[in-house]
Amino acid sequence: KEDLATMMNQHQISHQFFIVSKRNLTNSILKNLLSFDSNLSISFDSTNAEEIEKGLNVCNNTKNAFINSTSADSERLEKITTLAKKYNSNMIALTMNKEIGIPKTADERLALAFEIMETCDEKEILHDKIYFDPLILPISVEQSQAQEAINTIQMIKQSFEPEVKTTVGLSNISNGSPKEIRPLINRVFAVLLYGAGLDSAIIDACKKTDRHPKFDRDFPKGIKYYQIEQLEEALEGTTLVIGGVSSFGVDWFSDYV
């Protein structure tokens, strides 16, 4: 508990990624965390839906919590979507299932996204609570999969109304690559993903590091970071907007900003 207190006091925890792995541990550990900051946004990563629900029962702000994750497998999908609806939590949905694993093509991943969305819509889960992860595979294994992930994000963003969200495990792209070039690979791929419509990884990284994700430079003091759904708040009182996006993001910028 003393270690947790030190971390909280040094502001090293702004978003706690909480891994649930063993029975009967969730409540005690989570209560310790929440005793320092009752408004922490918690992400529950577990294959055990019962443990996830125990954690959600302890959370004060389940609307900001993340359940990580469901796949397109019917049993898992039913349990996780039920929890997401009951607690009004965010949910990460992986475009995979046990039968196929991770599909090789964007079309196949999109088909699984439609299967997941069918259950979500039946339960009337808000679309902005659903974060699809197209599953990033290392370019050291198969380079073509980087483009398939980009295509998947584009297709998912265009396929549902209202729009759903997208997220990725960004550093997966450079797993197995030489250590000295991993940051460069991550930054370049991040820009491409953002242009395709990625929602969550880029701004979260900026908030955490105060550094530009591509050029690895510190942002000037006073910079504020907003997700696209916070656009109205970001533009309040503004008379001039200057947009800097990659060529992949020009159409997106003109349509949404």
Side-chain angles (χ1 to χ4, degrees):
K1 192 168 183 178
E2 290 178 359
D3 290 340
L4 284 173
T6 301
M7 293 174 71
M8 295 300 297
N9 290 333
Q10 293 176 346
H11 304 290
Q12 293 176 354
I13 299 180
S14 59
H15 176 89
Q16 175 63 32
F17 189 77
F18 187 78
I19 300 178
V20 182
S21 59
K22 295 183 179 180
R23 292 182 181 274
N24 303 320
L25 288 181
T26 305
N27 285 4
S28 61
I29 298 175
L30 187 53
K31 284 178 179 177
N32 277 339
L33 280 171
L34 294 174
S35 70
F36 299 109
D37 185 349
S38 61
N39 291 314
L40 277 178
S41 298
I42 311 294
S43 180
F44 296 92
D45 187 346
S46 179
T47 58
N48 190 327
E50 292 179 359
E51 285 294 300
I52 290 176
E53 182 159 26
K54 287 180 183 179
L56 289 168
N57 278 322
V58 176
C59 272
N60 298 318
N61 59 340
T62 58
K63 68 177 183 178
N64 292 329
F66 275 80
I67 302 174
N68 187 15
S69 56
T70 187
S71 63
D73 294 299
S74 57
E75 182 178 357
R76 177 73 176 174
L77 182 59
E78 178 62 27
K79 289 180 179 179
I80 296 303
T81 53
T82 297
L83 291 178
K85 176 63 178 179
K86 180 178 179 179
Y87 293 94
N88 192 29
S89 298
N90 301 291
M91 179 188 74
I92 296 176
L94 309 179
T95 53
M96 64 174 294
N97 62 19
K98 291 179 180 178
E99 180 180 355
I100 301 173
I102 301 175
K104 293 293 185 182
T105 69
D107 286 335
E108 291 174 303
R109 294 180 199 186
L110 181 65
L112 294 180
F114 270 102
E115 291 182 19
I116 292 170
M117 283 304 300
E118 184 176 356
T119 298
C120 291
D121 286 340
E122 287 175 358
K123 296 183 185 296
E124 299 182 338
I125 296 173
L126 297 176
H127 283 204
D128 63 2
K129 291 286 188 179
I130 304 165
Y131 286 73
F132 277 102
D133 184 344
L135 298 165
I136 305 300
L137 298 175
I139 57 171
S140 60
V141 175
E142 188 173 347
Q143 293 187 12
S144 65
Q145 285 303 300
Q147 186 62 55
E148 292 300 329
I150 293 170
N151 293 344
T152 303
I153 287 177
Q154 289 178 320
M155 294 163 72
I156 286 175
K157 295 298 288 185
Q158 295 169 1
S159 295
F160 302 106
E161 183 65 35
E163 280 191 356
V164 295
K165 301 294 186 65
T166 54
T167 189
V168 296
L170 180 60
S171 62
N172 289 349
I173 191 66
S174 64
N175 281 343
S177 298
K179 182 178 180 180
E180 62 273 15
I181 65 171
R182 287 196 65 186
L184 176 61
I185 293 172
N186 293 344
R187 292 195 297 272
V188 171
F189 194 55
V191 173
L192 297 176
L193 290 170
Y194 180 71
L198 181 67
D199 290 291
S200 67
I202 308 306
I203 296 302
D204 290 344
C206 292
K207 287 180 178 179
K208 182 177 180 181
T209 65
D210 276 328
R211 295 180 70 81
H212 192 289
K214 180 179 179 182
F215 299 112
D216 197 24
R217 293 180 181 270
D218 291 335
F219 284 111
K221 292 182 179 180
I223 291 289
K224 295 181 180 179
Y225 312 96
Y226 297 91
Q227 298 283 5
I228 186 60
E229 62 268 20
Q230 299 172 296
L231 183 62
E232 186 175 346
E233 176 186 351
L235 296 181
E236 185 175 356
T238 299
T239 56
L240 176 66
V241 176
I242 300 174
V245 296
S246 69
S247 58
F248 292 89
V250 172
D251 290 340
W252 172 87
F253 188 86
S254 63
D255 288 342
Y256 291 94
V257 180

